Amino acid sequence: MAIIEVSNLKKSYGNLDVLKQITFEVNKKDVVAVIGPSGSGKSTMLRSLVHLEEIDGGSIRVADDYLVKDGVYSKPQDLKKITSRMGMVFQHFNLFPHLTVTENLEVAPRMLKRESPVAIRHRSTELLKKIGLTNRADAYPANLSGGQKQRVAIARALMLNPEILLFDEPTSALDPELTGEVLKVMKDLAEEHMTMVIVTHEMGFAKDVANRVLFMDNGQIIESGHPDDLLTNPQHDRTRAFLNRSFN
Amino acid sequence: MKQNRISFGNPVLFVEEQFMSADYFKTIIVPMLQGAETTILLFLIAIAVSIPLGFLLTLAVRSKFKPLSLLCQGYIHLMRGTPLLLQLLFICFGLPLIPGIGQYLVLDRFVAAALGFTLNYAAYFAEIFRGGLLAIDKGQYEASKVLGLSRWQTTRKIILPQMFRIALPAVANESVTLVKDTALLYAVAVPELLHFAETAVNRDFTIMPFFYAGVIYLIITFVLSMFFRWLERRFKFE
Ligand SMILES: Nc1ncnc2c1ncn2[C@@H]1O[C@H](COP(=O)(O)OP(=O)(O)OP(=O)(O)O)[C@@H](O)[C@H]1O
Ligand SMILES: [Mg+2]
């Protein structure tokens, strides 16, 4: 069974239909790359999954529970439990500027009190090692490079042991020479079979790491498929036009 | 006492050797320091009460309960839109004139003034804190939500610390203004630093007490500025 199932998702701002009947699935261990032109609704789709956007119709199922079923949201007390299966990494990192790297990692688990402080510290130490920032544990975000900030943001999301990680253009705010270190961390996660949905403009990365690509345009999924097929041999004119522009 | 008086049509102020002397300084500095004590006491009371009160006002303005929000917005506008001097005069001399209940509203002058300063400055601090909240990126709320923090946890752990940090320079500025505004006590006849200086100037025909008063104000505002600098460095988050 798919771990995420989205069907007929609808969302509009006033009379602007941003998402029109979106339907797709994400299986465990999938790495799904979502591509498409600016304004096509990629962020809105991703944000709907973690309830940062309220949708107007359709269903979102995560594992065994429906976040929304036929446009009706679950009880407020259940929403948090359902979305807690997912972690999210933002384009602009959204680290907490008043907390050190370690504190950024630990603030949520400590407040949620599901683990002991010792276990939390153990995890944050492990994750810092994993992203190669052990020596920056006590630094504030202001003193990190963009690439370092994004790696910390990924570690922060991982602290809560999510089953699925969502990325919204994780490298778009970075200088080109810093994207590599972030993509490396994401690639490592893919190799550990983390389930990921990644909105990205990095076609090379999508081709390398994703096992499925969704092309969105104008609030719809135009086509989806294995990157080797979709990126090299697209079936739709709009996909072709977009890829031609992207690869120049 | 032999004095050279040169009149320019105004009260004559004349600096003479005797008023520069250590003896004169000693006789005059004691009452002036007592005045400074009143000044500082008023400052401490006003700052200690108006900052928390201002913070509560900020929360009330953001409240989803519209009547409360509108009431507090109106209050803030009233306090910032009229002179502090008028507010002080109203509390000290206006309230007791209200028919029927006025006789119960005769407050000790210092208490009345402290009340006036607190009510007035709370409105300014509320505006400063509101600005601090507006400066916080909505990504901070979104990250907190995705990490599973409740609204209250987000407010307490993520938003308020940033708000206070952002507001700090403006709070420092407002506090220095408050020190200087304590001179308005003069208008409601509470003897404070400036009052003692002026009394001495008029009595002794010397300008020196004004200098001493100026220096005392400078020392107070300097210490205060240093304190806020320290706070800003302490919470630099870099
Ligand atoms: N809060 C909002 N109010 C009104 N319209 C919005 C809002 N948020 C997004 N939109 C509109 O919804 C559409 C989809 O936006 P979205 O951010 O999902 O696109 P995107 O595919 O992520 O684009 P980009 O590649 O630029 O990030 C756009 O036309 C955008 O202008
Ligand atoms: Mg986007």
Side-chain angles (χ1 to χ4, degrees):
Chain A
M1 188 178 72
I3 192 163
I4 301 180
E5 181 193 334
V6 174
S7 46
N8 301 321
L9 193 163
K10 279 192 298 183
K11 164 86 185 166
S12 28
Y13 290 110
N15 50 17
L16 174 69
D17 293 333
V18 179
L19 297 175
K20 306 163 184 167
Q21 308 280 347
I22 297 261
T23 298
F24 69 96
E25 289 184 349
V26 178
N27 291 310
K28 266 212 164 87
K29 304 179 184 179
D30 263 356
V31 177
V32 178
V34 182
I35 61 171
S38 185
S40 57
K42 306 180 298 293
S43 297
T44 310
M45 183 272 286
L46 205 63
R47 291 160 55 82
S48 302
L49 299 180
V50 282
H51 198 219
L52 285 177
E53 303 286 349
E54 197 98 354
I55 66 171
D56 301 314
S59 308
I60 299 174
R61 178 179 60 75
V62 183
D64 301 322
D65 303 297
Y66 279 92
L67 179 69
V68 208
K69 189 165 191 179
D70 298 325
V72 182
Y73 274 88
S74 291
K75 293 196 290 291
Q77 62 267 34
D78 295 336
L79 293 177
K80 206 160 148 178
K81 185 187 138 256
I82 298 167
T83 54
S84 73
R85 295 174 181 277
M86 295 170 280
M88 180 140 178
V89 175
F90 300 86
Q91 180 176 1
H92 296 288
F93 330 125
N94 298 351
L95 292 181
F96 304 128
H98 62 300
L99 303 178
T100 65
V101 167
T102 299
E103 289 166 342
N104 263 279
L105 264 55
E106 294 181 357
V107 63
R110 278 179 192 270
M111 305 265 357
L112 301 177
K113 294 204 173 79
R114 277 185 302 224
E115 290 173 291
S116 71
V118 176
I120 291 169
R121 175 53 52 91
H122 185 74
R123 257 188 93 56
S124 67
T125 314
E126 289 281 291
L127 282 168
L128 282 181
K129 201 155 91 194
K130 181 179 181 133
I131 61 168
L133 287 177
T134 304
N135 58 339
R136 306 298 276 143
D138 297 321
Y140 284 98
N143 294 340
L144 301 179
S145 72
Q148 292 174 331
K149 281 184 207 171
Q150 195 61 298
R151 286 187 278 156
V152 172
I154 294 172
R156 182 177 68 176
L158 289 171
M159 281 298 287
L160 297 166
N161 281 318
E163 293 164 53
I164 308 148
L165 264 192
L166 311 179
F167 295 80
D168 191 359
E169 303 201 25
T171 56
S172 295
L174 302 179
D175 293 336
E177 72 271 20
L178 299 178
T179 60
E181 61 192 66
V182 174
L183 295 176
K184 167 83 169 56
V185 171
M186 292 166 64
K187 195 170 173 175
D188 291 348
L189 287 170
E191 273 159 16
E192 293 162 24
H193 302 299
M194 172 61 95
T195 309
M196 301 197 277
V197 181
I198 306 165
V199 174
T200 185
H201 291 300
E202 300 274 347
M203 297 303 164
F205 177 76
K207 204 171 158 77
D208 244 19
V209 178
N211 66 332
R212 204 140 52 86
V213 180
L214 302 184
F215 172 69
M216 281 183 75
D217 192 15
N218 195 20
Q220 293 168 308
I221 295 178
I222 305 295
E223 76 181 283
S224 80
H226 194 275
D228 290 341
D229 302 327
L230 191 141
L231 296 178
T232 48
N233 187 21
Q235 299 302 303
H236 287 73
D237 291 343
R238 276 197 268 177
T239 320
R240 208 168 296 132
F242 173 75
L243 290 174
N244 282 340
R245 257 180 292 134
S246 302
F247 285 121
N248 271 359
Chain B
M1 196 192 291
K2 177 174 162 277
Q3 282 189 341
N4 287 321
R5 289 208 184 177
I6 306 169
S7 174
F8 293 105
N10 270 327
V12 185
L13 297 173
F14 210 74
V15 180
E16 287 198 25
E17 294 266 300
Q18 67 182 108
F19 293 120
M20 310 272 279
S21 73
D23 281 347
Y24 182 69
F25 178 77
K26 271 185 214 148
T27 56
I28 192 169
I29 198 64
V30 173
M32 286 189 66
L33 285 178
Q34 278 165 1
E37 208 178 301
T38 307
T39 293
I40 292 170
L41 187 65
L42 180 84
F43 168 80
L44 290 177
I45 292 173
I47 204 100
V49 185
S50 63
I51 285 182
L53 194 61
F55 176 59
L56 290 179
L57 272 174
T58 308
L59 295 184
V61 166
R62 282 163 57 91
S63 157
K64 291 212 172 74
F65 183 57
K66 273 280 163 272
L68 178 67
S69 171
L70 286 174
L71 188 74
C72 292
Q73 284 175 48
Y75 172 83
I76 290 171
H77 190 71
L78 177 73
M79 286 298 159
R80 300 193 337 133
T82 57
L84 173 55
L85 182 54
L86 173 61
Q87 295 162 19
L88 290 176
L89 292 174
F90 181 81
I91 293 174
C92 289
F93 306 119
L95 288 184
L97 297 179
I98 298 174
I101 55 167
Q103 54 184 308
Y104 305 110
L105 297 175
V106 187
L107 301 171
D108 171 78
R109 287 284 168 72
F110 179 82
V111 172
L115 185 66
F117 273 93
T118 302
L119 294 178
N120 177 277
Y121 268 79
Y124 281 93
F125 284 123
E127 278 297 285
I128 289 174
F129 293 144
R130 194 174 69 88
L133 284 178
L134 288 177
I136 297 174
D137 187 78
K138 79 177 195 325
Q140 296 289 307
Y141 296 91
E142 294 184 347
S144 307
K145 183 173 176 191
V146 175
L147 288 169
L149 300 183
S150 68
R151 256 184 75 118
W152 169 237
Q153 288 170 332
T154 304
T155 304
R156 194 160 54 90
K157 279 282 173 181
I158 307 300
I159 302 305
L160 293 187
Q162 293 186 56
M163 179 202 79
F164 282 113
R165 179 59 189 90
I166 295 168
L168 202 50
V171 169
N173 202 29
E174 206 58 33
S175 304
V176 170
T177 305
L178 174 55
V179 171
K180 294 179 289 177
D181 271 358
T182 57
L184 288 172
L185 281 178
Y186 182 85
V188 291
V190 175
E192 44 65 76
L193 177 52
L194 190 62
H195 164 88
F196 284 109
E198 217 233 349
T199 309
V201 166
N202 284 338
R203 184 188 60 221
D204 304 334
F205 294 108
T206 165
I207 202 168
M208 290 316 290
F210 280 154
F211 281 112
Y212 301 151
V215 169
I216 294 172
Y217 280 119
L218 276 177
I219 291 171
I220 298 172
T221 53
F222 179 77
V223 170
L224 194 61
S225 299
M226 286 298 115
F227 170 68
F228 276 107
R229 288 270 172 78
W230 174 80
L231 272 185
E232 283 179 32
R233 269 200 311 274
R234 169 75 182 70
F235 295 103
K236 198 159 178 236
F237 304 133
E238 277 179 22

